[in-house]
Amino acid sequence: MLVLQEIDISINKAWTSVSMQQPTANLTQAAQPGGPSFGINTTNNGRIVILGGGIPLVSNGTIVGGIGVSGGTSTQDTEIANAVVRAFEKMNKKSRNSVIHTRFGYTPYYI
């Protein structure tokens, strides 16, 4: 059961990062009581996640997807998500500079 919750949270972190066009960790402070976005996590049927670990994937200035990581602390999830973003950027840079292009399929979540 816990694994299913982590998958659901990771999917929602990826979705949140894309829909809000920013890492989910950026929402944490603003969503606290008294903050300008207090209660945002109760919108969209509770799909907005304000915990770290969600980061949009950007290619040529356009958001093309999102990464969502769950299962550790927010700090750990963010570290893993940042590593994925760095790998994506490295692969994306190679594909632009090479005859062989990497095709990225849609994956709603990463574990």
Short mmCIF file of all heavy atoms in Angstrom, two decimals, residues 12-86:
data_model
loop_
_atom_site.label_atom_id
_atom_site.label_comp_id
_atom_site.label_asym_id
_atom_site.label_seq_id
_atom_site.Cartn_x
_atom_site.Cartn_y
_atom_site.Cartn_z
N ASN A 12 1.83 13.08 -8.85
CA ASN A 12 1.29 14.41 -8.55
C ASN A 12 2.38 15.46 -8.42
O ASN A 12 2.16 16.63 -8.75
CB ASN A 12 0.40 14.36 -7.32
CG ASN A 12 -0.90 13.66 -7.61
OD1 ASN A 12 -1.34 13.56 -8.76
ND2 ASN A 12 -1.54 13.15 -6.58
N LYS A 13 3.57 15.08 -7.96
CA LYS A 13 4.68 16.03 -7.92
C LYS A 13 5.07 16.44 -9.34
O LYS A 13 5.28 17.63 -9.61
CB LYS A 13 5.89 15.44 -7.20
CG LYS A 13 5.75 15.39 -5.69
CD LYS A 13 7.01 14.83 -5.06
CE LYS A 13 6.91 14.77 -3.55
NZ LYS A 13 8.17 14.29 -2.94
N ALA A 14 5.17 15.46 -10.24
CA ALA A 14 5.50 15.78 -11.64
C ALA A 14 4.42 16.67 -12.23
O ALA A 14 4.72 17.68 -12.88
CB ALA A 14 5.65 14.50 -12.45
N TRP A 15 3.16 16.33 -12.01
CA TRP A 15 2.04 17.11 -12.53
C TRP A 15 2.06 18.54 -11.98
O TRP A 15 1.88 19.51 -12.71
CB TRP A 15 0.71 16.43 -12.19
CG TRP A 15 -0.48 17.14 -12.75
CD1 TRP A 15 -1.02 16.99 -13.99
CD2 TRP A 15 -1.27 18.11 -12.07
NE1 TRP A 15 -2.10 17.82 -14.12
CE2 TRP A 15 -2.28 18.53 -12.96
CE3 TRP A 15 -1.23 18.68 -10.80
CZ2 TRP A 15 -3.23 19.47 -12.63
CZ3 TRP A 15 -2.18 19.62 -10.46
CH2 TRP A 15 -3.17 20.01 -11.37
N THR A 16 2.29 18.66 -10.68
CA THR A 16 2.34 19.97 -10.04
C THR A 16 3.46 20.82 -10.63
O THR A 16 3.26 22.00 -10.94
CB THR A 16 2.54 19.85 -8.51
OG1 THR A 16 1.43 19.12 -7.96
CG2 THR A 16 2.63 21.20 -7.84
N SER A 17 4.63 20.23 -10.79
CA SER A 17 5.77 21.00 -11.30
C SER A 17 5.50 21.53 -12.71
O SER A 17 5.87 22.65 -13.03
CB SER A 17 7.05 20.17 -11.29
OG SER A 17 7.04 19.16 -12.28
N VAL A 18 4.80 20.73 -13.52
CA VAL A 18 4.48 21.18 -14.88
C VAL A 18 3.37 22.21 -14.85
O VAL A 18 3.46 23.27 -15.48
CB VAL A 18 4.10 19.98 -15.78
CG1 VAL A 18 3.55 20.44 -17.12
CG2 VAL A 18 5.30 19.07 -15.97
N SER A 19 2.31 21.94 -14.10
CA SER A 19 1.18 22.87 -14.09
C SER A 19 1.52 24.21 -13.44
O SER A 19 1.03 25.25 -13.87
CB SER A 19 -0.04 22.24 -13.40
OG SER A 19 0.22 22.01 -12.04
N MET A 20 2.39 24.19 -12.45
CA MET A 20 2.80 25.43 -11.78
C MET A 20 4.06 26.03 -12.40
O MET A 20 4.48 27.11 -12.01
CB MET A 20 3.02 25.18 -10.28
CG MET A 20 1.80 24.62 -9.55
SD MET A 20 0.37 25.70 -9.60
CE MET A 20 0.90 26.97 -8.48
N GLN A 21 4.67 25.31 -13.33
CA GLN A 21 5.86 25.75 -14.06
C GLN A 21 7.03 26.11 -13.13
O GLN A 21 7.75 27.09 -13.36
CB GLN A 21 5.52 26.92 -14.99
CG GLN A 21 4.46 26.57 -15.99
CD GLN A 21 4.10 27.73 -16.90
OE1 GLN A 21 4.78 28.75 -16.95
NE2 GLN A 21 3.02 27.57 -17.65
N GLN A 22 7.21 25.27 -12.10
CA GLN A 22 8.30 25.48 -11.16
C GLN A 22 8.47 24.22 -10.31
O GLN A 22 7.56 23.40 -10.22
CB GLN A 22 8.01 26.68 -10.26
CG GLN A 22 6.78 26.53 -9.39
CD GLN A 22 6.52 27.76 -8.56
OE1 GLN A 22 7.38 28.17 -7.79
NE2 GLN A 22 5.35 28.38 -8.74
N PRO A 23 9.63 24.08 -9.68
CA PRO A 23 9.81 22.95 -8.78
C PRO A 23 8.82 23.00 -7.62
O PRO A 23 8.49 24.09 -7.13
CB PRO A 23 11.25 23.12 -8.28
CG PRO A 23 11.92 23.93 -9.33
CD PRO A 23 10.85 24.87 -9.84
N THR A 24 8.38 21.84 -7.19
CA THR A 24 7.42 21.79 -6.09
C THR A 24 8.01 22.34 -4.80
O THR A 24 7.27 22.89 -3.98
CB THR A 24 6.91 20.35 -5.87
OG1 THR A 24 8.03 19.47 -5.67
CG2 THR A 24 6.09 19.88 -7.05
N ALA A 25 9.31 22.22 -4.63
CA ALA A 25 9.94 22.76 -3.41
C ALA A 25 9.75 24.27 -3.31
O ALA A 25 9.73 24.82 -2.20
CB ALA A 25 11.43 22.41 -3.39
N ASN A 26 9.58 24.95 -4.44
CA ASN A 26 9.36 26.40 -4.42
C ASN A 26 8.01 26.76 -3.80
O ASN A 26 7.81 27.90 -3.39
CB ASN A 26 9.42 26.98 -5.83
CG ASN A 26 10.79 26.93 -6.44
OD1 ASN A 26 11.75 26.43 -5.85
ND2 ASN A 26 10.89 27.41 -7.66
N LEU A 27 7.09 25.82 -3.77
CA LEU A 27 5.75 26.10 -3.25
C LEU A 27 5.67 25.97 -1.73
O LEU A 27 4.74 26.48 -1.12
CB LEU A 27 4.74 25.14 -3.88
CG LEU A 27 4.62 25.18 -5.39
CD1 LEU A 27 3.74 24.05 -5.89
CD2 LEU A 27 4.07 26.52 -5.82
N THR A 28 6.64 25.30 -1.13
CA THR A 28 6.57 24.98 0.30
C THR A 28 6.36 26.21 1.18
O THR A 28 5.43 26.27 1.97
CB THR A 28 7.83 24.21 0.74
OG1 THR A 28 7.97 23.06 -0.09
CG2 THR A 28 7.74 23.77 2.18
N GLN A 29 7.21 27.20 1.05
CA GLN A 29 7.11 28.40 1.89
C GLN A 29 5.84 29.19 1.62
O GLN A 29 5.14 29.62 2.53
CB GLN A 29 8.33 29.31 1.70
CG GLN A 29 9.54 28.92 2.52
CD GLN A 29 9.26 28.92 4.00
OE1 GLN A 29 9.22 27.85 4.61
NE2 GLN A 29 9.07 30.07 4.60
N ALA A 30 5.52 29.39 0.35
CA ALA A 30 4.35 30.20 -0.01
C ALA A 30 3.05 29.55 0.43
O ALA A 30 2.04 30.23 0.63
CB ALA A 30 4.32 30.43 -1.52
N ALA A 31 3.06 28.23 0.61
CA ALA A 31 1.83 27.51 0.97
C ALA A 31 1.63 27.38 2.48
O ALA A 31 0.63 26.81 2.93
CB ALA A 31 1.85 26.12 0.33
N GLN A 32 2.54 27.93 3.27
CA GLN A 32 2.41 27.86 4.73
C GLN A 32 1.34 28.84 5.21
O GLN A 32 1.02 29.82 4.52
CB GLN A 32 3.75 28.18 5.40
CG GLN A 32 4.85 27.19 5.06
CD GLN A 32 4.49 25.76 5.41
OE1 GLN A 32 4.03 25.47 6.51
NE2 GLN A 32 4.67 24.87 4.45
N PRO A 33 0.75 28.61 6.39
CA PRO A 33 -0.24 29.55 6.91
C PRO A 33 0.28 30.98 6.90
O PRO A 33 1.41 31.25 7.29
CB PRO A 33 -0.46 29.06 8.35
CG PRO A 33 -0.14 27.60 8.29
CD PRO A 33 0.99 27.49 7.30
N GLY A 34 -0.53 31.88 6.37
CA GLY A 34 -0.15 33.28 6.24
C GLY A 34 0.57 33.59 4.95
O GLY A 34 0.78 34.75 4.62
N GLY A 35 0.96 32.54 4.20
CA GLY A 35 1.67 32.75 2.94
C GLY A 35 0.71 33.08 1.82
O GLY A 35 -0.50 32.83 1.91
N PRO A 36 1.22 33.63 0.72
CA PRO A 36 0.36 34.06 -0.39
C PRO A 36 -0.36 32.90 -1.10
O PRO A 36 -1.37 33.13 -1.75
CB PRO A 36 1.32 34.77 -1.34
CG PRO A 36 2.67 34.23 -1.01
CD PRO A 36 2.63 33.91 0.46
N SER A 37 0.15 31.68 -0.94
CA SER A 37 -0.48 30.53 -1.60
C SER A 37 -1.03 29.52 -0.60
O SER A 37 -1.21 28.35 -0.91
CB SER A 37 0.53 29.84 -2.53
OG SER A 37 0.95 30.71 -3.54
N PHE A 38 -1.30 30.00 0.61
CA PHE A 38 -1.82 29.09 1.64
C PHE A 38 -3.08 28.39 1.13
O PHE A 38 -3.98 29.02 0.60
CB PHE A 38 -2.15 29.85 2.93
CG PHE A 38 -2.75 28.99 4.00
CD1 PHE A 38 -2.01 27.96 4.56
CD2 PHE A 38 -4.05 29.17 4.41
CE1 PHE A 38 -2.56 27.14 5.53
CE2 PHE A 38 -4.62 28.37 5.38
CZ PHE A 38 -3.87 27.35 5.95
N GLY A 39 -3.09 27.07 1.26
CA GLY A 39 -4.24 26.27 0.86
C GLY A 39 -4.19 25.78 -0.58
O GLY A 39 -5.07 25.04 -1.01
N ILE A 40 -3.13 26.15 -1.32
CA ILE A 40 -3.07 25.74 -2.72
C ILE A 40 -3.07 24.22 -2.86
O ILE A 40 -3.58 23.67 -3.83
CB ILE A 40 -1.83 26.35 -3.43
CG1 ILE A 40 -1.98 26.17 -4.95
CG2 ILE A 40 -0.53 25.76 -2.90
CD1 ILE A 40 -1.02 26.98 -5.75
N ASN A 41 -2.54 23.52 -1.86
CA ASN A 41 -2.50 22.06 -1.91
C ASN A 41 -3.88 21.43 -1.77
O ASN A 41 -4.03 20.22 -1.97
CB ASN A 41 -1.54 21.51 -0.85
CG ASN A 41 -1.89 21.98 0.53
OD1 ASN A 41 -2.00 23.19 0.76
ND2 ASN A 41 -2.05 21.06 1.45
N THR A 42 -4.88 22.20 -1.48
CA THR A 42 -6.25 21.65 -1.39
C THR A 42 -7.01 21.85 -2.71
O THR A 42 -8.14 21.41 -2.83
CB THR A 42 -7.04 22.31 -0.25
OG1 THR A 42 -7.20 23.71 -0.53
CG2 THR A 42 -6.34 22.14 1.08
N THR A 43 -6.37 22.49 -3.68
CA THR A 43 -7.02 22.72 -4.97
C THR A 43 -6.80 21.53 -5.90
O THR A 43 -6.01 20.63 -5.60
CB THR A 43 -6.48 23.99 -5.65
OG1 THR A 43 -5.10 23.80 -5.96
CG2 THR A 43 -6.65 25.21 -4.75
N ASN A 44 -7.50 21.51 -7.01
CA ASN A 44 -7.35 20.46 -8.02
C ASN A 44 -7.52 19.06 -7.41
O ASN A 44 -6.73 18.16 -7.67
CB ASN A 44 -6.00 20.58 -8.73
CG ASN A 44 -5.91 21.83 -9.55
OD1 ASN A 44 -6.50 21.93 -10.62
ND2 ASN A 44 -5.19 22.82 -9.04
N ASN A 45 -8.55 18.94 -6.58
CA ASN A 45 -8.84 17.66 -5.91
C ASN A 45 -7.66 17.15 -5.09
O ASN A 45 -7.43 15.95 -5.01
CB ASN A 45 -9.29 16.61 -6.92
CG ASN A 45 -10.59 16.98 -7.57
OD1 ASN A 45 -11.52 17.45 -6.91
ND2 ASN A 45 -10.68 16.79 -8.88
N GLY A 46 -6.89 18.07 -4.51
CA GLY A 46 -5.74 17.70 -3.69
C GLY A 46 -4.54 17.24 -4.49
O GLY A 46 -3.60 16.68 -3.92
N ARG A 47 -4.53 17.48 -5.77
CA ARG A 47 -3.44 17.01 -6.63
C ARG A 47 -2.17 17.87 -6.52
O ARG A 47 -1.09 17.40 -6.84
CB ARG A 47 -3.92 16.98 -8.08
CG ARG A 47 -3.00 16.20 -8.95
CD ARG A 47 -3.62 15.80 -10.24
NE ARG A 47 -2.70 14.92 -10.92
CZ ARG A 47 -2.76 14.61 -12.19
NH1 ARG A 47 -3.73 15.11 -12.93
NH2 ARG A 47 -1.88 13.81 -12.73
N ILE A 48 -2.31 19.11 -6.10
CA ILE A 48 -1.13 19.98 -5.95
C ILE A 48 -0.32 19.49 -4.75
O ILE A 48 -0.83 19.36 -3.64
CB ILE A 48 -1.56 21.46 -5.71
CG1 ILE A 48 -2.36 22.00 -6.88
CG2 ILE A 48 -0.35 22.33 -5.40
CD1 ILE A 48 -1.56 22.33 -8.11
N VAL A 49 0.95 19.22 -4.99
CA VAL A 49 1.86 18.74 -3.94
C VAL A 49 2.88 19.83 -3.66
O VAL A 49 3.51 20.35 -4.58
CB VAL A 49 2.58 17.44 -4.37
CG1 VAL A 49 3.54 16.97 -3.28
CG2 VAL A 49 1.58 16.35 -4.70
N ILE A 50 3.03 20.17 -2.38
CA ILE A 50 3.94 21.26 -2.01
C ILE A 50 5.22 20.73 -1.37
O ILE A 50 5.98 21.48 -0.78
CB ILE A 50 3.24 22.27 -1.07
CG1 ILE A 50 2.77 21.60 0.21
CG2 ILE A 50 2.09 22.94 -1.80
CD1 ILE A 50 2.28 22.55 1.28
N LEU A 51 5.50 19.45 -1.53
CA LEU A 51 6.72 18.83 -1.02
C LEU A 51 7.77 18.80 -2.12
O LEU A 51 7.43 18.65 -3.30
CB LEU A 51 6.44 17.41 -0.55
CG LEU A 51 5.33 17.24 0.49
CD1 LEU A 51 5.01 15.77 0.69
CD2 LEU A 51 5.72 17.89 1.79
N GLY A 52 9.02 18.90 -1.77
CA GLY A 52 10.09 18.84 -2.76
C GLY A 52 10.14 17.50 -3.47
O GLY A 52 9.74 16.47 -2.92
N GLY A 53 10.62 17.51 -4.71
CA GLY A 53 10.78 16.28 -5.47
C GLY A 53 10.13 16.32 -6.84
O GLY A 53 10.24 15.39 -7.61
N GLY A 54 9.45 17.43 -7.16
CA GLY A 54 8.86 17.61 -8.48
C GLY A 54 9.56 18.74 -9.21
O GLY A 54 9.72 19.82 -8.65
N ILE A 55 10.02 18.47 -10.43
CA ILE A 55 10.73 19.49 -11.21
C ILE A 55 10.31 19.37 -12.67
O ILE A 55 10.29 18.27 -13.23
CB ILE A 55 12.26 19.31 -11.11
CG1 ILE A 55 12.72 19.37 -9.65
CG2 ILE A 55 12.99 20.37 -11.94
CD1 ILE A 55 14.19 19.08 -9.44
N PRO A 56 9.97 20.51 -13.31
CA PRO A 56 9.63 20.44 -14.73
C PRO A 56 10.88 20.16 -15.57
O PRO A 56 11.98 20.57 -15.21
CB PRO A 56 9.07 21.83 -15.04
CG PRO A 56 9.50 22.71 -13.93
CD PRO A 56 9.83 21.85 -12.76
N LEU A 57 10.69 19.44 -16.66
CA LEU A 57 11.78 19.18 -17.61
C LEU A 57 11.64 20.17 -18.75
O LEU A 57 10.57 20.27 -19.36
CB LEU A 57 11.70 17.75 -18.13
CG LEU A 57 11.88 16.65 -17.09
CD1 LEU A 57 11.64 15.28 -17.71
CD2 LEU A 57 13.28 16.73 -16.48
N VAL A 58 12.71 20.89 -19.03
CA VAL A 58 12.68 21.97 -20.02
C VAL A 58 13.65 21.65 -21.15
O VAL A 58 14.79 21.26 -20.91
CB VAL A 58 13.04 23.32 -19.36
CG1 VAL A 58 13.05 24.44 -20.37
CG2 VAL A 58 12.10 23.62 -18.21
N SER A 59 13.17 21.82 -22.37
CA SER A 59 14.00 21.66 -23.56
C SER A 59 13.79 22.86 -24.46
O SER A 59 12.66 23.19 -24.81
CB SER A 59 13.61 20.37 -24.30
OG SER A 59 14.37 20.23 -25.48
N ASN A 60 14.87 23.53 -24.79
CA ASN A 60 14.81 24.73 -25.64
C ASN A 60 13.82 25.76 -25.11
O ASN A 60 13.07 26.36 -25.87
CB ASN A 60 14.47 24.36 -27.08
CG ASN A 60 15.53 23.51 -27.73
OD1 ASN A 60 16.72 23.70 -27.48
ND2 ASN A 60 15.12 22.56 -28.55
N GLY A 61 13.78 25.93 -23.79
CA GLY A 61 12.91 26.93 -23.18
C GLY A 61 11.45 26.52 -23.05
O GLY A 61 10.63 27.31 -22.61
N THR A 62 11.12 25.28 -23.42
CA THR A 62 9.75 24.80 -23.34
C THR A 62 9.66 23.64 -22.36
O THR A 62 10.50 22.73 -22.40
CB THR A 62 9.28 24.32 -24.73
OG1 THR A 62 9.38 25.41 -25.64
CG2 THR A 62 7.85 23.82 -24.69
N ILE A 63 8.65 23.65 -21.51
CA ILE A 63 8.43 22.53 -20.60
C ILE A 63 7.90 21.36 -21.42
O ILE A 63 6.89 21.47 -22.10
CB ILE A 63 7.44 22.90 -19.47
CG1 ILE A 63 8.05 23.98 -18.58
CG2 ILE A 63 7.09 21.66 -18.64
CD1 ILE A 63 7.12 24.51 -17.51
N VAL A 64 8.63 20.24 -21.37
CA VAL A 64 8.26 19.07 -22.15
C VAL A 64 7.81 17.90 -21.28
O VAL A 64 7.42 16.85 -21.80
CB VAL A 64 9.42 18.62 -23.07
CG1 VAL A 64 9.73 19.69 -24.10
CG2 VAL A 64 10.67 18.27 -22.25
N GLY A 65 7.85 18.08 -19.98
CA GLY A 65 7.45 17.02 -19.05
C GLY A 65 7.84 17.39 -17.66
O GLY A 65 8.24 18.53 -17.39
N GLY A 66 7.73 16.44 -16.77
CA GLY A 66 8.09 16.69 -15.39
C GLY A 66 8.60 15.44 -14.73
O GLY A 66 8.27 14.33 -15.14
N ILE A 67 9.40 15.62 -13.72
CA ILE A 67 9.91 14.51 -12.91
C ILE A 67 9.29 14.61 -11.54
O ILE A 67 9.16 15.70 -11.00
CB ILE A 67 11.46 14.53 -12.84
CG1 ILE A 67 12.02 13.42 -11.96
CG2 ILE A 67 11.98 15.85 -12.35
CD1 ILE A 67 11.88 12.07 -12.56
N GLY A 68 8.88 13.49 -11.01
CA GLY A 68 8.34 13.44 -9.65
C GLY A 68 8.98 12.29 -8.91
O GLY A 68 8.98 11.17 -9.40
N VAL A 69 9.55 12.57 -7.75
CA VAL A 69 10.22 11.54 -6.95
C VAL A 69 9.60 11.55 -5.56
O VAL A 69 9.40 12.61 -4.97
CB VAL A 69 11.74 11.82 -6.84
CG1 VAL A 69 12.42 10.78 -5.97
CG2 VAL A 69 12.37 11.87 -8.23
N SER A 70 9.31 10.36 -5.05
CA SER A 70 8.75 10.24 -3.72
C SER A 70 9.30 8.99 -3.06
O SER A 70 9.71 8.06 -3.73
CB SER A 70 7.22 10.17 -3.79
OG SER A 70 6.66 10.15 -2.50
N GLY A 71 9.30 8.99 -1.75
CA GLY A 71 9.74 7.80 -1.02
C GLY A 71 10.77 8.13 0.05
O GLY A 71 10.97 7.36 0.98
N GLY A 72 11.42 9.27 -0.09
CA GLY A 72 12.39 9.70 0.92
C GLY A 72 11.91 10.98 1.57
O GLY A 72 10.73 11.32 1.51
N THR A 73 12.84 11.70 2.16
CA THR A 73 12.50 13.02 2.69
C THR A 73 12.38 13.97 1.50
O THR A 73 12.83 13.65 0.39
CB THR A 73 13.60 13.54 3.63
OG1 THR A 73 14.80 13.74 2.87
CG2 THR A 73 13.85 12.58 4.78
N SER A 74 11.82 15.14 1.70
CA SER A 74 11.73 16.12 0.62
C SER A 74 13.11 16.47 0.09
O SER A 74 13.30 16.62 -1.13
CB SER A 74 11.03 17.39 1.10
OG SER A 74 9.65 17.16 1.23
N THR A 75 14.09 16.56 0.97
CA THR A 75 15.47 16.86 0.55
C THR A 75 16.02 15.74 -0.32
O THR A 75 16.61 16.00 -1.38
CB THR A 75 16.37 17.09 1.77
OG1 THR A 75 15.85 18.18 2.53
CG2 THR A 75 17.80 17.39 1.37
N GLN A 76 15.82 14.50 0.10
CA GLN A 76 16.30 13.35 -0.69
C GLN A 76 15.58 13.28 -2.04
O GLN A 76 16.22 13.06 -3.07
CB GLN A 76 16.09 12.05 0.08
CG GLN A 76 16.96 11.93 1.31
CD GLN A 76 16.52 10.80 2.22
OE1 GLN A 76 15.34 10.41 2.26
NE2 GLN A 76 17.46 10.25 2.97
N ASP A 77 14.27 13.45 -2.02
CA ASP A 77 13.50 13.42 -3.27
C ASP A 77 13.97 14.51 -4.23
O ASP A 77 14.11 14.27 -5.43
CB ASP A 77 12.01 13.59 -2.98
CG ASP A 77 11.39 12.41 -2.25
OD1 ASP A 77 12.06 11.36 -2.10
OD2 ASP A 77 10.23 12.54 -1.81
N THR A 78 14.25 15.70 -3.70
CA THR A 78 14.72 16.81 -4.53
C THR A 78 16.10 16.51 -5.10
O THR A 78 16.36 16.79 -6.27
CB THR A 78 14.73 18.12 -3.72
OG1 THR A 78 13.39 18.41 -3.28
CG2 THR A 78 15.25 19.29 -4.54
N GLU A 79 16.98 15.92 -4.31
CA GLU A 79 18.31 15.57 -4.80
C GLU A 79 18.22 14.58 -5.96
O GLU A 79 18.92 14.74 -6.98
CB GLU A 79 19.15 14.96 -3.67
CG GLU A 79 19.62 15.95 -2.64
CD GLU A 79 20.39 15.29 -1.50
OE1 GLU A 79 20.88 14.15 -1.67
OE2 GLU A 79 20.50 15.92 -0.44
N ILE A 80 17.37 13.58 -5.84
CA ILE A 80 17.21 12.59 -6.91
C ILE A 80 16.60 13.25 -8.14
O ILE A 80 17.05 13.03 -9.27
CB ILE A 80 16.38 11.39 -6.42
CG1 ILE A 80 17.16 10.63 -5.35
CG2 ILE A 80 16.01 10.48 -7.58
CD1 ILE A 80 16.34 9.61 -4.59
N ALA A 81 15.57 14.07 -7.94
CA ALA A 81 14.94 14.75 -9.06
C ALA A 81 15.94 15.65 -9.79
O ALA A 81 15.97 15.69 -11.02
CB ALA A 81 13.73 15.56 -8.58
N ASN A 82 16.79 16.35 -9.04
CA ASN A 82 17.81 17.20 -9.65
C ASN A 82 18.81 16.37 -10.46
O ASN A 82 19.25 16.80 -11.54
CB ASN A 82 18.55 18.03 -8.60
CG ASN A 82 17.78 19.26 -8.20
OD1 ASN A 82 17.19 19.93 -9.03
ND2 ASN A 82 17.79 19.57 -6.91
N ALA A 83 19.15 15.18 -9.98
CA ALA A 83 20.05 14.30 -10.73
C ALA A 83 19.41 13.87 -12.04
O ALA A 83 20.07 13.82 -13.08
CB ALA A 83 20.42 13.07 -9.89
N VAL A 84 18.12 13.59 -12.02
CA VAL A 84 17.40 13.21 -13.24
C VAL A 84 17.38 14.39 -14.22
O VAL A 84 17.58 14.22 -15.42
CB VAL A 84 15.98 12.71 -12.93
CG1 VAL A 84 15.18 12.51 -14.20
CG2 VAL A 84 16.03 11.43 -12.11
N VAL A 85 17.13 15.59 -13.70
CA VAL A 85 17.11 16.78 -14.56
C VAL A 85 18.48 16.98 -15.21
O VAL A 85 18.56 17.25 -16.42
CB VAL A 85 16.68 18.04 -13.77
CG1 VAL A 85 16.92 19.31 -14.59
CG2 VAL A 85 15.22 17.92 -13.37
N ARG A 86 19.55 16.81 -14.45
CA ARG A 86 20.89 16.95 -15.02
C ARG A 86 21.13 15.91 -16.12
O ARG A 86 21.68 16.23 -17.18
CB ARG A 86 21.96 16.85 -13.94
CG ARG A 86 22.06 18.08 -13.06
CD ARG A 86 23.29 18.06 -12.17
NE ARG A 86 23.32 16.92 -11.25
CZ ARG A 86 22.74 16.89 -10.05
NH1 ARG A 86 22.07 17.96 -9.61
NH2 ARG A 86 22.82 15.83 -9.29
#
